[in-house]
């Protein structure tokens, strides 16, 4: 076996060890997150946050509904330009898309606002990626 073959074999072993360590770390993190999220106090806090977001969404509906209407029209018409200027704020895990214009947090001083996947108005602070 040549020195380069031996180095290549050692590199494959190092790469396999790194992959295994990474996979194990992700699995342990996922287990920890699942344990925390299933805690009754965390579940109760989540329910309170969701109730507050729903209530706030209803309070803002009269003023912000025209933005939802414009969003719905742009989606129905396939109007990419109409969708391009929208806020990038999402709660992807819950199917929420903010229908307000980009920069609304500073220019309008409004939280993110849209509808839940069930169609109910919702308002939230912060954003999350689609795959969160």
């Amino acid at each position: 076996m040549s020195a380069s073959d031996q180095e290549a074999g050692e590199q494959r072993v190092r790469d396999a060890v790194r992959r295994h360590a990474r996979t194990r770390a992700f699995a342990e993190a996922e287990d920890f997150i699942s344990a925390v999220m299933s805690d009754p106090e965390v579940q109760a806090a989540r329910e309170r946050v969701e109730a507050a977001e729903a209530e706030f969404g209803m309070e803002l509906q009269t003023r912000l509904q025209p933005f939802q209407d414009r969003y719905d029209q742009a989606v129905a018409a396939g109007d990419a330009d109409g969708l391009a200027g929208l806020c990038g704020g999402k709660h992807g895990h819950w199917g929420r898309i903010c229908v307000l214009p980009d920069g609304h947090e500073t220019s309008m001083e409004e939280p993110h606002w849209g509808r839940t996947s069930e169609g109910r108005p919702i308002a939230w602070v912060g954003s999350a990626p689609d795959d969160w």
Side-chain angles (χ1 to χ4, degrees):
M1 178 181 275
S2 70
S4 64
D5 288 341
Q6 186 175 356
E7 287 177 28
E10 290 172 1
Q11 184 61 44
R12 283 194 301 273
V13 169
R14 285 192 297 271
D15 291 345
V17 168
R18 274 192 217 107
R19 282 192 306 272
H20 176 73
R22 182 176 179 191
T23 301
R24 183 176 174 147
F26 278 121
E28 288 174 3
E30 196 171 279
D31 289 346
F32 178 78
I33 290 168
S34 293
V36 169
M37 295 305 291
S38 65
D39 180 87
E41 289 181 35
V42 172
Q43 291 292 321
R46 180 186 56 80
E47 290 171 9
R48 288 192 303 273
V49 167
E50 288 178 357
E53 290 175 341
E55 182 178 340
F56 198 28
M58 289 295 294
E59 289 174 14
L60 295 172
Q61 182 175 12
T62 301
R63 188 169 73 243
L64 300 180
Q65 183 62 42
F67 293 100
Q68 181 70 48
D69 296 340
R70 275 184 243 153
Y71 172 82
D72 292 342
Q73 287 174 335
V75 168
D79 179 8
D81 291 335
L83 298 171
L86 293 180
C87 174
K90 295 180 175 132
H91 252 320
H93 186 71
W94 290 282
R96 303 173 189 171
I97 298 172
C98 183
V99 298
L100 300 179
D102 192 26
H104 66 86
E105 301 97 331
T106 54
S107 63
M108 297 170 60
E109 297 184 358
E110 297 286 2
H112 297 293
W113 190 85
R115 296 204 172 267
T116 65
S117 55
E118 295 83 26
R120 293 188 303 273
I122 192 95
W124 70 95
V125 176
S127 190
D130 289 331
D131 61 350
W132 183 74

